[in-house]
mmCIF file of all heavy atoms in Angstrom:
data_model
loop_
_atom_site.group_PDB
_atom_site.id
_atom_site.type_symbol
_atom_site.label_atom_id
_atom_site.label_comp_id
_atom_site.label_asym_id
_atom_site.label_seq_id
_atom_site.Cartn_x
_atom_site.Cartn_y
_atom_site.Cartn_z
ATOM 1 N N GLY M 10 -0.968 -79.338 4.779
ATOM 2 C CA GLY M 10 -1.261 -80.759 4.990
ATOM 3 C C GLY M 10 -2.493 -81.245 4.234
ATOM 4 O O GLY M 10 -3.214 -82.097 4.705
ATOM 5 N N GLY M 11 -2.697 -80.679 3.045
ATOM 6 C CA GLY M 11 -3.811 -81.106 2.221
ATOM 7 C C GLY M 11 -5.136 -80.403 2.518
ATOM 8 O O GLY M 11 -6.145 -80.675 1.889
ATOM 9 N N VAL M 12 -5.130 -79.518 3.537
ATOM 10 C CA VAL M 12 -6.365 -78.865 3.975
ATOM 11 C C VAL M 12 -6.171 -77.345 4.062
ATOM 12 O O VAL M 12 -5.107 -76.878 4.480
ATOM 13 C CB VAL M 12 -6.776 -79.384 5.377
ATOM 14 C CG1 VAL M 12 -8.002 -78.667 5.902
ATOM 15 C CG2 VAL M 12 -6.971 -80.879 5.348
ATOM 16 N N TRP M 13 -7.194 -76.608 3.626
ATOM 17 C CA TRP M 13 -7.206 -75.156 3.834
ATOM 18 C C TRP M 13 -8.313 -74.837 4.827
ATOM 19 O O TRP M 13 -9.499 -74.990 4.503
ATOM 20 C CB TRP M 13 -7.408 -74.402 2.535
ATOM 21 C CG TRP M 13 -7.490 -72.903 2.701
ATOM 22 C CD1 TRP M 13 -6.885 -72.138 3.661
ATOM 23 C CD2 TRP M 13 -8.191 -71.979 1.868
ATOM 24 N NE1 TRP M 13 -7.161 -70.811 3.494
ATOM 25 C CE2 TRP M 13 -7.982 -70.678 2.404
ATOM 26 C CE3 TRP M 13 -8.993 -72.108 0.753
ATOM 27 C CZ2 TRP M 13 -8.559 -69.547 1.836
ATOM 28 C CZ3 TRP M 13 -9.554 -70.976 0.197
ATOM 29 C CH2 TRP M 13 -9.317 -69.720 0.716
ATOM 30 N N GLU M 14 -7.952 -74.467 6.011
ATOM 31 C CA GLU M 14 -8.908 -73.990 6.999
ATOM 32 C C GLU M 14 -9.089 -72.503 6.700
ATOM 33 O O GLU M 14 -8.238 -71.686 7.042
ATOM 34 C CB GLU M 14 -8.355 -74.187 8.427
ATOM 35 C CG GLU M 14 -8.071 -75.607 8.796
ATOM 36 C CD GLU M 14 -9.288 -76.414 9.186
ATOM 37 O OE1 GLU M 14 -10.389 -75.824 9.342
ATOM 38 O OE2 GLU M 14 -9.168 -77.630 9.319
ATOM 39 N N THR M 15 -10.189 -72.170 6.046
ATOM 40 C CA THR M 15 -10.412 -70.792 5.586
ATOM 41 C C THR M 15 -10.679 -69.858 6.757
ATOM 42 O O THR M 15 -11.212 -70.286 7.793
ATOM 43 C CB THR M 15 -11.567 -70.742 4.589
ATOM 44 O OG1 THR M 15 -12.785 -71.070 5.245
ATOM 45 C CG2 THR M 15 -11.359 -71.708 3.419
ATOM 46 N N PRO M 16 -10.347 -68.556 6.600
ATOM 47 C CA PRO M 16 -10.572 -67.621 7.698
ATOM 48 C C PRO M 16 -12.056 -67.426 8.003
ATOM 49 O O PRO M 16 -12.448 -67.267 9.160
ATOM 50 C CB PRO M 16 -9.938 -66.321 7.214
ATOM 51 C CG PRO M 16 -9.633 -66.506 5.786
ATOM 52 C CD PRO M 16 -9.666 -67.955 5.475
ATOM 53 N N SER M 17 -12.895 -67.467 6.956
ATOM 54 C CA SER M 17 -14.336 -67.315 7.120
ATOM 55 C C SER M 17 -15.013 -67.581 5.791
ATOM 56 O O SER M 17 -14.383 -67.564 4.735
ATOM 57 C CB SER M 17 -14.690 -65.896 7.584
ATOM 58 O OG SER M 17 -14.416 -64.968 6.555
ATOM 59 N N LYS M 18 -16.314 -67.855 5.842
ATOM 60 C CA LYS M 18 -17.076 -68.009 4.597
ATOM 61 C C LYS M 18 -17.032 -66.724 3.784
ATOM 62 O O LYS M 18 -16.944 -66.745 2.573
ATOM 63 C CB LYS M 18 -18.528 -68.383 4.892
ATOM 64 C CG LYS M 18 -18.706 -69.810 5.361
ATOM 65 C CD LYS M 18 -20.182 -70.090 5.606
ATOM 66 C CE LYS M 18 -20.405 -71.482 6.116
ATOM 67 N NZ LYS M 18 -21.841 -71.746 6.314
ATOM 68 N N ALA M 19 -17.120 -65.592 4.478
ATOM 69 C CA ALA M 19 -17.113 -64.283 3.801
ATOM 70 C C ALA M 19 -15.809 -64.073 3.060
ATOM 71 O O ALA M 19 -15.790 -63.560 1.933
ATOM 72 C CB ALA M 19 -17.344 -63.170 4.813
ATOM 73 N N ALA M 20 -14.680 -64.519 3.628
ATOM 74 C CA ALA M 20 -13.389 -64.368 2.965
ATOM 75 C C ALA M 20 -13.368 -65.216 1.679
ATOM 76 O O ALA M 20 -12.849 -64.747 0.642
ATOM 77 C CB ALA M 20 -12.251 -64.787 3.894
ATOM 78 N N VAL M 21 -13.914 -66.396 1.742
ATOM 79 C CA VAL M 21 -13.976 -67.243 0.533
ATOM 80 C C VAL M 21 -14.883 -66.611 -0.506
ATOM 81 O O VAL M 21 -14.535 -66.581 -1.687
ATOM 82 C CB VAL M 21 -14.471 -68.670 0.906
ATOM 83 C CG1 VAL M 21 -14.663 -69.510 -0.356
ATOM 84 C CG2 VAL M 21 -13.491 -69.338 1.856
ATOM 85 N N ARG M 22 -16.015 -66.077 -0.076
ATOM 86 C CA ARG M 22 -16.930 -65.427 -1.013
ATOM 87 C C ARG M 22 -16.255 -64.253 -1.712
ATOM 88 O O ARG M 22 -16.400 -64.055 -2.906
ATOM 89 C CB ARG M 22 -18.194 -65.001 -0.288
ATOM 90 C CG ARG M 22 -19.056 -66.182 0.154
ATOM 91 C CD ARG M 22 -20.252 -65.794 0.991
ATOM 92 N NE ARG M 22 -20.945 -64.688 0.419
ATOM 93 C CZ ARG M 22 -21.466 -63.688 1.151
ATOM 94 N NH1 ARG M 22 -21.369 -63.672 2.446
ATOM 95 N NH2 ARG M 22 -22.103 -62.710 0.550
ATOM 96 N N ARG M 23 -15.499 -63.447 -0.945
ATOM 97 C CA ARG M 23 -14.790 -62.301 -1.552
ATOM 98 C C ARG M 23 -13.742 -62.806 -2.539
ATOM 99 O O ARG M 23 -13.567 -62.238 -3.620
ATOM 100 C CB ARG M 23 -14.154 -61.419 -0.468
ATOM 101 C CG ARG M 23 -15.133 -60.552 0.273
ATOM 102 C CD ARG M 23 -14.442 -59.544 1.175
ATOM 103 N NE ARG M 23 -13.569 -60.164 2.156
ATOM 104 C CZ ARG M 23 -13.950 -60.584 3.358
ATOM 105 N NH1 ARG M 23 -15.198 -60.438 3.751
ATOM 106 N NH2 ARG M 23 -13.089 -61.119 4.197
ATOM 107 N N ALA M 24 -13.044 -63.870 -2.165
ATOM 108 C CA ALA M 24 -11.985 -64.432 -3.059
ATOM 109 C C ALA M 24 -12.577 -64.976 -4.354
ATOM 110 O O ALA M 24 -11.899 -64.998 -5.380
ATOM 111 C CB ALA M 24 -11.209 -65.488 -2.320
ATOM 112 N N LEU M 25 -13.816 -65.428 -4.307
ATOM 113 C CA LEU M 25 -14.474 -66.005 -5.480
ATOM 114 C C LEU M 25 -15.159 -64.934 -6.355
ATOM 115 O O LEU M 25 -15.663 -65.230 -7.419
ATOM 116 C CB LEU M 25 -15.528 -67.039 -5.069
ATOM 117 C CG LEU M 25 -14.986 -68.343 -4.523
ATOM 118 C CD1 LEU M 25 -16.140 -69.221 -4.045
ATOM 119 C CD2 LEU M 25 -14.166 -69.071 -5.555
ATOM 120 N N THR M 26 -15.165 -63.683 -5.863
ATOM 121 C CA THR M 26 -15.768 -62.606 -6.620
ATOM 122 C C THR M 26 -14.828 -62.153 -7.744
ATOM 123 O O THR M 26 -13.683 -61.831 -7.506
ATOM 124 C CB THR M 26 -16.130 -61.421 -5.697
ATOM 125 O OG1 THR M 26 -16.990 -61.894 -4.669
ATOM 126 C CG2 THR M 26 -16.789 -60.304 -6.455
ATOM 127 N N ARG M 27 -15.373 -62.166 -8.965
ATOM 128 C CA ARG M 27 -14.574 -61.799 -10.127
ATOM 129 C C ARG M 27 -14.844 -60.341 -10.508
ATOM 130 O O ARG M 27 -15.873 -59.790 -10.130
ATOM 131 C CB ARG M 27 -14.953 -62.734 -11.275
ATOM 132 C CG ARG M 27 -14.670 -64.216 -10.906
ATOM 133 C CD ARG M 27 -15.393 -65.186 -11.716
ATOM 134 N NE ARG M 27 -16.843 -64.988 -11.604
ATOM 135 C CZ ARG M 27 -17.749 -65.857 -12.016
ATOM 136 N NH1 ARG M 27 -17.390 -66.994 -12.562
ATOM 137 N NH2 ARG M 27 -19.027 -65.618 -11.882
ATOM 138 N N PRO M 28 -13.915 -59.716 -11.225
ATOM 139 C CA PRO M 28 -14.054 -58.286 -11.539
ATOM 140 C C PRO M 28 -15.369 -57.897 -12.229
ATOM 141 O O PRO M 28 -15.881 -56.833 -11.957
ATOM 142 C CB PRO M 28 -12.853 -58.007 -12.471
ATOM 143 C CG PRO M 28 -11.864 -59.029 -12.118
ATOM 144 C CD PRO M 28 -12.654 -60.267 -11.739
ATOM 145 N N ASN M 29 -15.916 -58.761 -13.052
ATOM 146 C CA ASN M 29 -17.142 -58.419 -13.779
ATOM 147 C C ASN M 29 -18.409 -58.764 -13.006
ATOM 148 O O ASN M 29 -19.503 -58.477 -13.472
ATOM 149 C CB ASN M 29 -17.179 -59.088 -15.147
ATOM 150 C CG ASN M 29 -16.147 -58.478 -16.084
ATOM 151 O OD1 ASN M 29 -15.752 -57.325 -15.943
ATOM 152 N ND2 ASN M 29 -15.712 -59.256 -17.036
ATOM 153 N N ASP M 30 -18.259 -59.366 -11.835
ATOM 154 C CA ASP M 30 -19.437 -59.659 -11.003
ATOM 155 C C ASP M 30 -19.943 -58.350 -10.438
ATOM 156 O O ASP M 30 -19.188 -57.488 -10.050
ATOM 157 C CB ASP M 30 -19.049 -60.624 -9.852
ATOM 158 C CG ASP M 30 -18.674 -62.012 -10.328
ATOM 159 O OD1 ASP M 30 -19.058 -62.378 -11.459
ATOM 160 O OD2 ASP M 30 -18.002 -62.708 -9.565
ATOM 161 N N GLU M 31 -21.276 -58.226 -10.408
ATOM 162 C CA GLU M 31 -21.873 -56.976 -9.930
ATOM 163 C C GLU M 31 -21.825 -56.845 -8.423
ATOM 164 O O GLU M 31 -21.876 -55.752 -7.872
ATOM 165 C CB GLU M 31 -23.285 -56.836 -10.464
ATOM 166 C CG GLU M 31 -23.288 -56.648 -11.975
ATOM 167 C CD GLU M 31 -24.683 -56.413 -12.543
ATOM 168 O OE1 GLU M 31 -25.600 -56.101 -11.771
ATOM 169 O OE2 GLU M 31 -24.797 -56.537 -13.767
ATOM 170 N N GLU M 32 -21.770 -57.979 -7.717
ATOM 171 C CA GLU M 32 -21.677 -57.952 -6.257
ATOM 172 C C GLU M 32 -20.862 -59.132 -5.777
ATOM 173 O O GLU M 32 -20.517 -60.009 -6.576
ATOM 174 C CB GLU M 32 -23.073 -57.927 -5.622
ATOM 175 C CG GLU M 32 -24.040 -58.934 -6.163
ATOM 176 C CD GLU M 32 -25.462 -58.678 -5.675
ATOM 177 O OE1 GLU M 32 -25.992 -57.595 -5.869
ATOM 178 O OE2 GLU M 32 -25.972 -59.612 -5.069
ATOM 179 N N VAL M 33 -20.577 -59.137 -4.487
ATOM 180 C CA VAL M 33 -19.788 -60.233 -3.917
ATOM 181 C C VAL M 33 -20.499 -61.553 -4.127
ATOM 182 O O VAL M 33 -21.720 -61.636 -4.054
ATOM 183 C CB VAL M 33 -19.565 -59.976 -2.416
ATOM 184 C CG1 VAL M 33 -18.875 -61.169 -1.746
ATOM 185 C CG2 VAL M 33 -18.732 -58.711 -2.185
ATOM 186 N N CYS M 34 -19.736 -62.565 -4.421
ATOM 187 C CA CYS M 34 -20.255 -63.923 -4.602
ATOM 188 C C CYS M 34 -21.154 -64.286 -3.430
ATOM 189 O O CYS M 34 -20.762 -64.149 -2.268
ATOM 190 C CB CYS M 34 -19.086 -64.896 -4.713
ATOM 191 S SG CYS M 34 -19.534 -66.632 -4.840
ATOM 192 N N SER M 35 -22.352 -64.755 -3.714
ATOM 193 C CA SER M 35 -23.285 -65.154 -2.659
ATOM 194 C C SER M 35 -22.827 -66.448 -1.993
ATOM 195 O O SER M 35 -22.080 -67.221 -2.597
ATOM 196 C CB SER M 35 -24.697 -65.284 -3.199
ATOM 197 O OG SER M 35 -24.766 -66.446 -4.039
ATOM 198 N N GLU M 36 -23.324 -66.698 -0.822
ATOM 199 C CA GLU M 36 -23.004 -67.945 -0.149
ATOM 200 C C GLU M 36 -23.541 -69.116 -0.971
ATOM 201 O O GLU M 36 -22.868 -70.162 -1.084
ATOM 202 C CB GLU M 36 -23.569 -67.977 1.260
ATOM 203 C CG GLU M 36 -23.095 -69.203 2.036
ATOM 204 C CD GLU M 36 -23.363 -69.136 3.514
ATOM 205 O OE1 GLU M 36 -23.644 -68.055 4.054
ATOM 206 O OE2 GLU M 36 -23.314 -70.221 4.132
ATOM 207 N N ALA M 37 -24.701 -68.964 -1.559
ATOM 208 C CA ALA M 37 -25.278 -70.033 -2.374
ATOM 209 C C ALA M 37 -24.401 -70.338 -3.568
ATOM 210 O O ALA M 37 -24.161 -71.497 -3.905
ATOM 211 C CB ALA M 37 -26.694 -69.636 -2.842
ATOM 212 N N ASP M 38 -23.882 -69.287 -4.255
ATOM 213 C CA ASP M 38 -23.000 -69.498 -5.408
ATOM 214 C C ASP M 38 -21.674 -70.117 -4.985
ATOM 215 O O ASP M 38 -21.119 -70.945 -5.697
ATOM 216 C CB ASP M 38 -22.748 -68.189 -6.158
ATOM 217 C CG ASP M 38 -23.946 -67.719 -6.944
ATOM 218 O OD1 ASP M 38 -24.845 -68.551 -7.261
ATOM 219 O OD2 ASP M 38 -24.013 -66.512 -7.273
ATOM 220 N N ALA M 39 -21.164 -69.741 -3.827
ATOM 221 C CA ALA M 39 -19.936 -70.350 -3.292
ATOM 222 C C ALA M 39 -20.163 -71.835 -2.979
ATOM 223 O O ALA M 39 -19.303 -72.663 -3.288
ATOM 224 C CB ALA M 39 -19.454 -69.603 -2.072
ATOM 225 N N GLU M 40 -21.323 -72.139 -2.418
ATOM 226 C CA GLU M 40 -21.652 -73.544 -2.138
ATOM 227 C C GLU M 40 -21.782 -74.368 -3.438
ATOM 228 O O GLU M 40 -21.340 -75.512 -3.469
ATOM 229 C CB GLU M 40 -22.981 -73.654 -1.333
ATOM 230 C CG GLU M 40 -22.852 -73.163 0.102
ATOM 231 C CD GLU M 40 -22.104 -74.111 1.031
ATOM 232 O OE1 GLU M 40 -21.789 -75.253 0.634
ATOM 233 O OE2 GLU M 40 -21.839 -73.678 2.164
ATOM 234 N N VAL M 41 -22.371 -73.766 -4.475
ATOM 235 C CA VAL M 41 -22.475 -74.435 -5.767
ATOM 236 C C VAL M 41 -21.065 -74.716 -6.324
ATOM 237 O O VAL M 41 -20.807 -75.808 -6.817
ATOM 238 C CB VAL M 41 -23.327 -73.626 -6.768
ATOM 239 C CG1 VAL M 41 -23.193 -74.155 -8.179
ATOM 240 C CG2 VAL M 41 -24.788 -73.609 -6.327
#
């Protein structure tokens, strides 16, 4: 319905982590 209710902020951060990233995407980087 046009909305994604994400399971958690941590899940989004993991999903935004790319293979060449040295660590999981930070909450600050996800917010940016």
Side-chain angles (χ1 to χ4, degrees):
V12 177
W13 178 29
E14 300 281 351
T15 66
S17 67
K18 287 182 182 181
V21 174
R22 290 175 46 219
R23 285 189 303 271
L25 290 175
T26 302
R27 300 160 301 194
N29 291 334
D30 293 339
E31 293 184 15
E32 47 190 58
V33 173
C34 176
S35 69
E36 187 168 343
D38 286 340
E40 289 286 352
V41 168

